[in-house]
Amino acid sequence: MDRSVRFYVDVLGFTCGMQTPGYSNLYRDAVRIMLAAPNAHGDWKAPKFTGQLYIELETADEVDALWAAVKDRAEVIYAVDDFDYGAHEFGICDDNGYSLAFGAPSKPTVGRPV
């Protein structure tokens, strides 16, 4: 838990609001992430999540600023770019290998629909 909190705070700029040995609240702007250890309600054997967490930012400029701050501090999955589906985003791995994408609507450009 400590290592994960440090990654989200030191690399991604989140603030830790509350932390216990098995639970942490992390905040950045309008985003809240809760990290929790396995609980007694299920038979936990190993991590099961196999997707990508998408964190939407307000503007493409915010995506660019975050990209500049983290690109040399995290494992990059894909660099910041504009995609055909209208998003300006990048992807990295967190300290546990989970895939995180940070994006916003693409910046309008002449001749390209938004």
Side-chain angles (χ1 to χ4, degrees):
M1 184 67 64
D2 289 339
R3 184 189 75 205
S4 293
V5 169
R6 280 194 312 273
F7 177 86
Y8 281 83
V9 169
D10 296 344
V11 175
L12 298 178
F14 280 79
T15 299
C16 184
M18 175 187 167
Q19 183 176 2
T20 69
Y23 176 83
S24 296
N25 271 325
L26 302 166
Y27 302 90
R28 180 185 169 125
D29 303 320
V31 176
R32 176 181 175 208
I33 296 176
M34 296 179 347
L35 302 178
N39 62 48
H41 300 288
D43 184 25
W44 188 85
K45 293 184 174 90
K48 297 175 186 172
F49 181 75
T50 58
Q52 183 175 58
L53 299 173
Y54 193 90
I55 299 170
E56 187 172 7
L57 304 178
E58 293 284 327
T59 68
D61 289 336
E62 287 178 287
V63 173
D64 290 337
L66 184 58
W67 169 250
V70 305
K71 66 184 176 76
D72 297 323
R73 303 180 70 201
E75 179 184 341
V76 173
I77 299 171
Y78 57 96
V80 70
D81 202 355
D82 288 305
F83 293 91
D84 291 341
Y85 45 87
H88 184 74
E89 66 183 51
F90 66 89
I92 61 169
C93 287
D94 75 1
D95 64 305
N96 292 296
Y98 290 113
S99 176
L100 307 176
F102 295 86
S106 296
K107 296 177 186 179
T109 60
V110 175
R112 187 181 68 188
V114 181

